[in-house]
């Protein structure tokens, strides 16, 4: 696998945009940003959780510290495609992400039966501890989306992403099953994330203010779980404890 960044520490702010806000914001910021190395991509994730959704239920309580584990690919993978097993933690507003790259075949065996992959040993040890601690982890939800990514010209550590066509499902939970599911956003909505190690640049802050774009608390997995919970509760099927 080609060299990739495996450790992240940054502040992440999220914003829900209308199509009009998205188009106007892009017009304002594109001169100050450049396309990311992978400017446009389709991201597919499998989120892992306990049978009673302990991780996401705790996350929705907005604790000081929370964490999650996911398997991520770019597009629908084949056995030898490069994928990432990611451990993401958030503490007091700071996001810490550790990811180990491996083939999809390796990731499948690792997450199913513990076969150790050829990947960063320190990060694999951290993921192993996480899996051991929660014990009953299993594939819980598939989430995919179309992403446009930009980076700051003056500060390449600034990253702005726009996600649309967010889909989720809780059946056929493997990445090779393809991209399909229930929409999470309206067709004309975008989820923007601003990711930066420190303070937001003034030009970006001004652009957001001019367009009345304000940060919001939004989790793709969390909001999809809420929809699942209400649907299953109406059918009397969701496990809540």
């Amino acid at each position: 696998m080609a060299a990739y960044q495996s450790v992240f520490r940054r502040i992440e702010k999220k914003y829900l945009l209308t199509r009009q806000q998205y188009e106007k914001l892009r017009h304002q910021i594109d001169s100050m940003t450049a396309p990311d190395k992978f400017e446009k991509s389709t991201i597919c994730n499998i989120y892992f959780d306990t049978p009673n959704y302990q991780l996401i239920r705790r996350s929705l309580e907005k604790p000081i510290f929370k964490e999650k584990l996911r398997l991520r690919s770019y597009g629908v993978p084949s056995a030898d495609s490069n994928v990432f097993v990611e451990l993401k933690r958030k503490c007091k507003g700071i996001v810490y992400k550790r990811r180990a790259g491996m083939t999809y075949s390796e990731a499948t065996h690792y997450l199913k039966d513990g076969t150790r992959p050829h990947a960063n040993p320190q990060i694999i040890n951290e993921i192993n501890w996480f899996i051991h601690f929660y014990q009953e982890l299993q594939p819980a939800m598939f989430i995919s989306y179309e992403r446009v990514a930009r980076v700051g010209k003056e500060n390449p550590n600034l990253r702005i992403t726009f996600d649309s066509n967010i889909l989720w499902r809780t059946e056929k939970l493997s990445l090779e099953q393809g991209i399909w599911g229930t929409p999470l956003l309206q067709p004309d909505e975008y989820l923007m994330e601003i990711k930066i190690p420190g303070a937001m640049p003034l030009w970006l802050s001004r652009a957001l203010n001019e367009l009345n774009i304000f940060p919001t608390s939004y989790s793709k997995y969390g909001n999809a779980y809420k929809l699942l919970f209400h649907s299953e509760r109406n059918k009397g099927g969701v496990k809540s404890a």
Side-chain angles (χ1 to χ4, degrees):
M1 174 177 279
Y4 63 90
Q5 186 175 353
S6 60
V7 178
F8 301 78
R9 180 189 183 279
R10 61 198 183 192
I11 298 170
E12 296 183 356
K13 297 290 187 181
K14 299 181 181 181
Y15 307 76
L16 277 177
L17 311 182
T18 63
R19 181 179 297 276
Q20 185 179 42
Q21 287 176 317
Y22 168 73
E23 293 174 348
K24 289 183 177 180
L25 183 62
R26 287 294 306 273
H27 179 74
Q28 290 200 32
I29 71 171
D30 277 9
S31 63
M32 301 296 291
T33 61
D36 183 67
K37 182 179 179 181
F38 303 102
E39 180 186 13
K40 295 182 179 181
S41 58
T42 301
I43 300 177
C44 303
N45 305 277
I46 298 291
Y47 285 82
F48 287 76
D49 213 325
T50 64
N52 66 349
Y53 295 95
Q54 177 185 352
L55 290 171
I56 192 56
R57 289 192 296 107
R58 173 170 169 76
S59 177
L60 291 171
E61 294 171 355
K62 302 188 184 303
I64 293 176
F65 174 81
K66 56 186 178 181
E67 54 190 351
K68 59 188 173 186
L69 179 70
R70 68 189 176 201
L71 172 62
R72 168 169 289 188
S73 68
Y74 292 84
V76 178
S78 58
D80 59 354
S81 297
N82 295 328
V83 301
F84 296 96
V85 179
E86 300 184 341
L87 184 59
K88 192 171 183 180
R89 297 180 168 113
K90 187 174 184 179
C91 184
K92 297 181 179 179
I94 305 297
V95 172
Y96 303 86
K97 186 170 80 170
R98 318 276 279 177
R99 66 178 183 175
M102 62 195 77
T103 67
Y104 182 49
S105 177
E106 283 184 296
T108 299
H109 287 294
Y110 171 50
L111 294 168
K112 183 175 295 185
D113 56 37
T115 303
R116 193 175 181 94
H118 298 286
N120 185 307
Q122 180 179 344
I123 294 177
I124 292 299
N125 287 340
E126 291 184 37
I127 296 172
N128 283 345
W129 184 92
F130 181 93
I131 292 172
H132 176 75
F133 182 81
Y134 288 101
Q135 296 187 344
E136 298 182 294
L137 291 178
Q138 61 186 26
M141 186 175 290
F142 169 92
I143 297 180
S144 69
Y145 38 93
E146 306 296 325
R147 169 164 287 181
V148 174
R150 310 278 300 179
V151 295
K153 288 182 178 179
E154 296 181 356
N155 181 4
N157 290 320
L158 166 66
R159 192 162 186 261
I160 306 173
T161 61
F162 302 93
D163 297 339
S164 59
N165 192 30
I166 304 175
L167 304 175
W168 67 276
R169 67 175 188 260
T170 55
E171 55 185 330
K172 297 189 176 181
L173 293 177
S174 58
L175 295 177
E176 74 269 17
Q177 291 293 330
I179 299 170
W180 55 275
T182 302
L184 192 58
L185 299 179
Q186 296 299 316
D188 59 349
E189 283 187 315
Y190 294 80
L191 178 64
M192 177 177 71
E193 296 185 39
I194 296 176
K195 309 171 186 187
I196 192 168
M200 186 183 302
L202 185 58
W203 58 265
L204 180 54
S205 179
R206 285 175 174 167
L208 297 178
N209 288 335
E210 288 177 11
L211 296 173
N212 294 315
I213 297 173
F214 305 106
T216 186
S217 175
Y218 194 96
S219 161
K220 298 182 186 77
Y221 181 27
N223 279 272
Y225 170 76
K226 290 178 184 178
L227 293 176
L228 171 68
F229 178 81
H230 290 302
S231 173
E232 292 297 318
R233 185 175 62 177
N234 291 336
K235 295 188 293 186
V238 76
K239 297 179 180 179
S240 60

